Amino acid sequence: MIGFISYAVFFSTVASILAIAVLGLNLQWGFTGLFNGGVVAFFGAGAYGTLILGGTPQADHLGGFGLIYPLALAGGAAVAGLLAWVVGILTLRLRQDYLAIATFGIAVTFENVMRNAEALSGGAKGFRGFERPLRDLFGDGFGYNLAFFCFVLALLVGVFLFLERLVRSPFGRLLRAIREDEDAARSLGKSPARVRLVSFVTGSVIIGLAGGLYATFYAFISPQDVLPTLTFQIWAMLIVGGAGNNRGAVFGAFLIWGGWTSSGWALSRFAPVEAQLYTGSIQYILIGSIIVTMLLWRPQGLLPERLVISQAGQPRKPRTTGSMT
Amino acid sequence: MIQNLADGILVGSVLSLGAIGLTLVMHMLRFANFSHAELLSIGAYAALVFDAVFAAILPPLAAKIGPLSMTWALALALLAAIAITGASALLIDRLVFRRVRSKGSELSMVFASFGVAMIVRNVTGLLFGLGTQLYSRDIVFAVVVSRDPLLLIKPDQVFVLAAALLVMVALHLVLTRTTLGFALRAVAENPTLAQVNGVNLGRMIALVWVLGGGLAAIAGVFYGLTNQISPMIGRDLVLPVFAATIVGGIGSVYGAVLGGFIVGVAANVALAVLPSGYSPSVPFLIILAVLLVRPNGLFGEARA
């Protein structure tokens, strides 16, 4: 029983961390229509940033600033935001698919640099020398994991509430207006490029926060954790859950992560030994099929975006869902 | 340095062939197709299969062509691979892209292409194994062109470059001299106006996929001939091919050709300066540089 609970806590912690990342992506794609093809770069920037800022000094790579944990976590998220700002400045004013290509490129490059720049990141061996915060208080076992889960959950709720407020605010209305009709928004004196940049950076900071939590949970990060696969997984979570719906984003994160871990377990348990080498391939095919199937069958996701009318000018027929613009 | 330049030109010819198809698709269907590089992989593996089949049916075909490591069987298999890959591209469009196109936005297509790339890459891995394979296990000795500076070139490399250039010239003639080429260019310029003039849009889209797939197959086989074949061909080439497309400007066939050579040469020359581990990052740096200096590429035109 305790084994089950302890696994449930472990699973929920990782799923909640990923849910935070999905929420960040939802701000970018769901509400603003920005295609971030390199989620993992911002996730990784947050992860490496947190560990470098909060770690103890190491002989063979950068790090050991030993900042207190909340500062290190915030610093990691800020690194992700900075990266997003640079990419955003360069690409947001261009064709939309340039952003997809550039972000995809930065993810490849990020992984490549982290793998090679040993002085910065510890190289392929990964980044060591990070102490999980408050270890003296909670020890190393189940108690610590439970406490950390509560911390992650609190942050998830915080990010969720923040985004719910944001998308209902005038700024959220502006985001949707630009997503739906950029020219119309511009004709009202709004600056789409600037609003997009704000949304892109904010979303990336949230994704970076998730990365920082992920690295804290394992007290370790390596290039193996920032492969493009993670981008696909986070994408699948958002598409299945429902882009433009924060509840859907969280629901999708738990659903897909549950499906991913259970399919991995089932394959390792029931697949013949000679097929074990290919379990990864089978899982990727599953994820790819889920993305394509959802786009064909239910592009709005399981929990579709609910259209809200912030201020109806004229009284309308009761309980109709009006158009967006 | 001169060796890097020569290798770069060779890689560039492969990238050019891949980029031509990608630029046409991106221009006509208006979406960044992340699964295009998987077509190179399909082509390379299709040729691997047919090479073995042809060599088994008619053993004399297994003889090498002159000094090349390429056999007659592989030359025939290349034709089969072109057909298979063109058909695959069309099939993927019918199964996925056309349906998504009718339902969602352009960016949904980008998504779908991510999913398709993932499926194709891993199905290839399941079918053919995750390891690397070669068309020929024989060692082909490089010819020393000059000793100082040292320059080694394999006969295969010369052949690949010449064949790639030949394909490009043929494509140029088709685009500029035939009605089909006019129709294709008209659709790329202005789909609505082209339709008014009696061009069948659906057929032109199909043609672009078949053309892009065929060129990708040639690129894939040439890549396999000079490197090795693995399910990761698509993953490794997707960014360089995109870089070539962006350098040339989306929609420009000649830009794609030039872009391919620029990216190939730059990536190889950069190896003379950077540690070799960083080579996957070079295409991204090129993309960034182009976006900074000339966002629409060398020959592209601005379009929202």
Side-chain angles (χ1 to χ4, degrees):
Chain A
M1 191 60 197
I2 189 77
F4 176 75
I5 295 178
S6 128
Y7 183 74
V9 167
F10 172 78
F11 171 83
S12 308
T13 309
V14 178
S16 305
I17 291 173
L18 292 172
I20 294 177
V22 180
L23 282 173
L25 183 67
N26 193 24
L27 177 63
Q28 297 174 340
W29 166 250
F31 294 113
T32 328
L34 299 173
F35 193 108
N36 184 347
V39 175
V40 73
F42 307 102
F43 190 87
Y48 274 102
T50 303
L51 293 199
I52 288 173
L53 290 172
T56 50
Q58 295 290 310
D60 54 348
H61 56 73
L62 185 73
F65 293 100
L67 289 186
I68 53 164
Y69 182 64
L71 271 183
L73 190 61
V79 173
L82 194 68
L83 190 65
W85 185 75
V86 173
V87 179
I89 287 274
L90 286 173
T91 50
L92 283 174
R93 62 203 158 86
L94 303 169
R95 260 176 80 138
Q96 284 182 314
D97 40 10
Y98 274 67
L99 181 70
I101 300 169
T103 45
F104 180 80
I106 204 160
V108 171
T109 306
F110 184 84
E111 193 259 343
N112 183 240
V113 170
M114 289 304 128
R115 195 178 286 282
N116 286 288
E118 297 209 354
L120 174 70
S121 62
K125 300 188 301 292
F127 191 100
R128 278 156 294 100
F130 179 78
E131 287 262 323
R132 298 169 88 188
L134 301 180
R135 226 173 107 203
D136 308 333
L137 195 60
F138 293 107
D140 263 334
F142 176 66
Y144 189 93
N145 283 349
L146 191 63
F148 189 72
F149 172 58
C150 294
F151 175 61
V152 170
L153 199 62
L155 281 177
L156 174 61
V157 172
V159 168
F160 180 85
L161 292 177
F162 166 72
L163 287 178
E164 282 288 292
R165 284 198 69 127
L166 185 78
V167 296
R168 288 188 201 305
S169 71
F171 182 75
R173 215 153 57 217
L174 182 56
L175 288 182
R176 290 194 299 272
I178 289 171
R179 181 190 67 182
E180 297 296 322
D181 191 338
E182 183 180 337
D183 293 332
R186 191 178 280 134
S187 76
L188 294 170
K190 311 296 182 190
S191 161
R194 224 193 63 225
V195 175
R196 282 212 185 98
L197 186 62
V198 171
S199 163
F200 186 64
V201 171
T202 312
S204 297
V205 166
I206 295 173
I207 296 171
L209 174 73
L213 290 170
Y214 181 86
T216 313
F217 186 55
Y218 291 106
F220 176 74
I221 190 88
S222 78
Q224 219 51 37
D225 296 311
V226 293
L227 295 176
T229 318
L230 186 63
T231 303
F232 293 113
Q233 288 170 336
I234 293 175
W235 269 118
M237 291 168 184
L238 184 61
I239 294 182
V240 169
N245 183 328
N246 286 325
R247 274 168 229 279
V250 177
F251 171 65
F254 277 81
L255 191 70
I256 292 291
W257 189 241
W260 179 265
T261 47
S262 53
S263 70
W265 175 81
L267 284 169
S268 70
R269 175 121 193 211
F270 300 116
V273 179
E274 54 277 16
Q276 295 286 345
L277 183 62
Y278 295 98
T279 52
S281 300
I282 295 170
Q283 281 188 298
Y284 296 147
I285 293 172
L286 284 177
I287 283 275
S289 309
I290 285 173
I291 291 181
V292 171
T293 314
M294 279 308 283
L295 285 172
L296 291 178
W297 168 66
R298 201 178 156 86
Q300 69 274 38
L302 293 178
L303 301 181
E305 176 174 9
R306 271 178 294 181
L307 305 179
V308 287
I309 303 164
S310 310
Q311 288 169 323
Q314 297 290 317
R316 288 171 183 244
K317 276 182 284 175
R319 305 199 74 42
T320 50
T321 45
S323 68
M324 181 75 62
T325 40
Chain B
M1 196 68 182
I2 185 104
Q3 180 76 54
N4 292 12
L5 197 67
D7 291 344
I9 290 172
L10 180 82
V11 176
S13 65
V14 170
L15 295 180
S16 295
L17 289 174
I20 293 172
L22 181 62
T23 208
L24 287 175
V25 168
M26 279 181 79
H27 193 50
M28 277 182 74
L29 301 177
R30 291 167 169 68
F31 81 106
N33 182 7
F34 278 85
S35 64
H36 189 81
E38 303 304 327
L39 294 176
L40 274 74
S41 179
I42 293 179
Y45 275 100
L48 187 70
V49 171
F50 279 98
D51 181 30
V53 169
F54 289 141
I57 297 174
L58 270 177
L61 286 179
K64 292 201 176 80
I65 307 174
L68 306 175
S69 73
M70 191 167 180
T71 59
W72 292 103
L74 184 57
L76 282 179
L78 174 62
L79 297 178
I82 292 172
I84 296 270
T85 313
S88 310
L90 199 57
L91 184 72
I92 292 172
D93 183 57
R94 290 286 133 97
L95 285 178
V96 180
F97 292 131
R98 194 166 72 171
R99 298 182 189 196
V100 176
R101 200 155 58 226
S102 64
K103 282 187 135 178
S105 67
E106 291 152 16
L107 286 173
S108 301
M109 303 273 286
V110 183
F111 257 128
S113 74
F114 264 105
V116 167
M118 199 140 196
I119 296 172
V120 172
R121 188 179 310 155
N122 287 289
V123 167
T124 314
L126 280 183
L127 288 178
F128 295 97
L130 302 174
T132 56
Q133 309 204 33
L134 297 167
Y135 289 124
S136 161
R137 305 217 160 272
D138 301 335
I139 298 165
V140 175
F141 290 100
V143 177
V144 182
V145 180
S146 102
R147 285 200 186 277
D148 186 40
L150 187 64
L151 179 60
L152 302 170
I153 289 182
K154 289 183 185 172
D156 281 346
Q157 296 178 311
V158 178
F159 165 74
V160 164
L161 183 62
L165 290 176
L166 203 64
V167 169
M168 290 172 206
V169 170
L171 183 71
H172 165 76
L173 292 178
V174 169
L175 284 179
T176 52
R177 301 280 197 283
T178 65
T179 326
L180 199 65
F182 288 144
L184 206 61
R185 279 160 59 209
V187 170
E189 283 299 321
N190 188 334
T192 325
L193 200 57
Q195 273 181 298
V196 169
N197 281 290
V199 175
N200 184 333
L201 186 62
R203 198 175 291 162
M204 284 303 127
I205 290 177
L207 181 66
V208 164
W209 282 113
V210 172
L211 195 64
L215 293 171
I218 302 176
V221 173
F222 286 175
Y223 186 80
L225 200 60
T226 44
N227 290 278
Q228 52 199 9
I229 312 158
S230 89
M232 293 304 150
I233 288 182
R235 187 199 65 187
D236 295 340
L237 289 183
V238 58
L239 206 52
V241 172
F242 264 126
T245 312
I246 290 185
V247 168
I250 293 169
S252 164
V253 170
Y254 309 110
V257 171
L258 195 60
F261 284 109
I262 291 176
V263 172
V265 168
N268 271 277
V269 170
L271 285 184
V273 189
L274 284 171
S276 65
Y278 289 103
S279 66
S281 303
V282 176
F284 174 68
L285 294 180
I286 296 172
I287 292 178
L288 271 194
V290 171
L291 292 183
L292 267 178
V293 180
R294 204 181 157 83
N296 293 307
L298 293 175
F299 299 109
E301 50 215 76
R303 194 180 68 192

